[in-house]
Amino acid sequence: MCGRYVGFDDGNDVIKEIYQKTFDTFPDAPIKIGEVFPTETVPVLAGPQLAPVPMKWGYTGFKGKGVLINARAETAAEKYTFRDGLLRSRCVIPTCGYYEWDKRKAKFRFNLPDEQMLYLGGFFSRFPDGDRFIILTTSPNDSVSDVHDRMPLILTEKMLPIWTTDTRAALSYLTETMPALVRREA
């Protein structure tokens, strides 16, 4: 679930500004532009100021095998691997939409109606090679359920500073129904 997303779109001034600030502050970071795949480095908004910082998508798997890219919102606080990040290091993944495939292998792009930006809720942890983030997923709403059985945790713009600074509100939000999305075949 949520194994790819749009990290940069030329027609979106908000995402351009986020990427430019990241390039300016971290000129040596290998930041991915366009369709983002797991293990790539992208701008993530972190801290009370929602400052863009480069992070790699995915935690190193158990015993160094594979990569963990998503965590279930319903159980992340109970899992040793995810608990500390969720409680102390929540972040926002800025996107221009995310991709999902249905059972026929048709690819769809999901966005909020009439919005250029889509913010995903996640958390991060420090690893020997730098900070890495995970995207939280939850049960799909009606706008997604006929394509996939999970969807990312969607944050509204007003929720962004609350998500990164207020643990009680963030944990409560994990059980909320996500906003309706629109989709188009990609």
Side-chain angles (χ1 to χ4, degrees):
M1 164 56 251
C2 195
R4 286 197 213 148
Y5 67 87
V6 184
F8 187 85
D9 188 334
D10 283 333
N12 185 325
D13 291 336
V14 176
I15 202 86
K16 278 184 187 178
E17 183 178 338
I18 291 168
Y19 269 73
Q20 191 58 55
K21 283 181 182 178
T22 310
F23 290 138
D24 292 348
T25 308
F26 304 93
D28 297 329
I31 297 170
K32 173 69 162 114
I33 295 176
E35 187 171 346
V36 177
F37 292 75
T39 73
E40 293 181 328
T41 300
V42 292
V44 173
L45 307 177
Q49 302 303 319
L50 297 170
V53 294
M55 289 188 199
K56 192 175 281 191
W57 182 12
Y59 284 15
T60 303
F62 184 66
K63 293 186 179 181
K65 295 182 181 180
V67 64
L68 306 171
I69 61 170
N70 298 137
R72 288 179 170 264
E74 302 89 343
T75 60
E78 302 163 10
K79 304 285 184 183
Y80 175 78
T81 303
F82 303 136
R83 181 178 34 237
D84 191 55
L86 177 61
L87 295 177
R88 293 179 182 80
S89 303
R90 288 175 308 282
C91 62
V92 175
I93 299 90
T95 78
C96 298
Y98 79 94
Y99 295 111
E100 199 55 75
W101 290 259
D102 68 8
K103 290 177 173 89
R104 300 175 297 116
K105 305 290 185 214
K107 183 178 180 182
F108 294 93
R109 180 173 166 173
F110 288 88
N111 293 86
L112 284 168
D114 303 319
E115 295 286 331
Q116 289 188 325
M117 291 297 297
L118 183 66
Y119 298 101
L120 309 180
F123 54 87
F124 65 96
S125 289
R126 171 107 11 203
F127 286 81
D129 65 344
D131 290 342
R132 291 173 167 255
F133 72 94
I134 292 275
I135 296 173
L136 284 158
T137 67
T138 189
S139 296
N141 59 28
D142 290 342
S143 66
V144 176
S145 63
D146 62 331
V147 173
H148 204 275
D149 64 349
R150 302 291 295 168
M151 70 182 291
L153 193 76
I154 307 296
L155 301 172
T156 61
E157 197 164 347
K158 73 176 188 169
M159 183 67 183
L160 302 185
I162 297 166
W163 176 254
T164 59
T165 61
D166 186 334
T167 301
R168 186 176 305 153
L171 292 177
S172 176
Y173 189 72
L174 296 177
T175 61
E176 295 289 321
T177 300
M178 295 296 102
L181 301 175
V182 295
R183 70 174 181 242
R184 63 181 168 83
E185 202 156 350

